[in-house]
């Protein structure tokens, strides 16, 4: 397993396709990658098998998005590694005393996954999951 902080649009496209996500163009994916705060990819045998991005303002808010794990690698901890690494990158780049809210909008009943990654779910306050990072 190799962790990388840069992936290309073609790899992103292929991984999205492996989980039957909406078909979008490589040029759109390239722009999305360029405008991300952080990108984490996990490679096995030089193939991207899991990834995730964080978007936001780099100060107060971050949003976990495109957390994708290839079907052959699901339920093996790769998604948790991606989320944990994204949270670590955000915290490492915060200034002392900063407080940042990282959110995710879970789909397909995967709220328990995000809770295992350390996030909180309070449906009476908001639909998604979140975690406050402080440095």
């Amino acid at each position: 397993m190799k962790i990388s902080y840069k992936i290309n649009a073609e790899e992103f496209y292929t991984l999205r396709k492996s989980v039957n996500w909406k078909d979008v163009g490589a040029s759109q994916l390239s722009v999305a990658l360029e405008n991300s705060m952080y990108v984490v990819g996990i490679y096995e045998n030089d193939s991207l098998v899991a990834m995730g991005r964080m978007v936001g303002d780099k100060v107060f808010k971050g949003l976990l998005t495109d957390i994708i794990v290839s079907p052959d690698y699901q339920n093996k901890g790769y998604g948790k590694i991606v989320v944990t690494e994204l949270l670590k990158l955000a915290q490492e780049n915060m200034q002392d005393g900063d407080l940042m809210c990282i959110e995710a909008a879970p789909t397909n009943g995967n709220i328990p996954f995000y809770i295992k990654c350390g996030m909180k779910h309070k449906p009476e306050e908001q639909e998604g999951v979140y975690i406050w990072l402080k440095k």
Side-chain angles (χ1 to χ4, degrees):
M1 174 179 71
K2 176 187 161 199
I3 296 176
S4 177
Y5 303 105
K6 185 169 177 143
I7 66 171
N8 67 49
E10 290 77 26
E11 293 170 317
F12 190 3
Y13 178 85
T14 300
L15 194 56
R16 285 178 59 94
K17 193 171 175 93
S18 77
V19 293
N20 298 314
W21 280 15
K22 180 182 173 188
D23 193 15
V24 296
S27 62
Q28 290 173 300
L29 297 176
S30 180
V31 170
L33 290 169
E34 289 171 19
N35 288 300
S36 299
M37 285 171 52
Y38 309 109
V39 176
V40 171
I42 299 179
Y43 290 82
E44 289 287 356
N45 303 317
D46 296 322
S47 293
L48 182 68
V49 299
M51 68 156 292
R53 302 185 306 125
M54 185 182 295
V55 297
D57 61 20
K58 296 185 179 182
V59 180
F60 302 112
K61 289 281 188 179
L63 174 70
L64 297 177
T65 188
D66 297 324
I67 308 299
I68 310 170
V69 178
S70 173
D72 292 341
Y73 293 85
Q74 291 178 5
N75 300 307
K76 296 181 180 179
Y78 288 86
K80 186 174 182 182
I81 293 168
V82 168
V83 170
T84 301
E85 193 67 21
L86 287 167
L87 295 175
K88 183 177 103 179
L89 288 168
Q91 192 158 39
E92 287 175 351
N93 287 287
M94 292 168 63
Q95 302 299 313
D96 287 341
D98 281 356
L99 186 63
M100 178 185 269
C101 182
I102 308 297
E103 300 175 318
T107 58
N108 300 325
N110 59 5
I111 288 173
F113 161 75
Y114 286 100
I115 291 171
K116 285 180 188 175
C117 294
M119 300 186 84
K120 309 234 181 294
H121 179 239
K122 293 185 179 176
E124 67 279 4
E125 293 178 17
Q126 66 183 49
E127 291 295 317
V129 293
Y130 66 95
I131 189 169
W132 284 95
L133 299 179
K134 184 174 175 136
K135 188 165 185 179

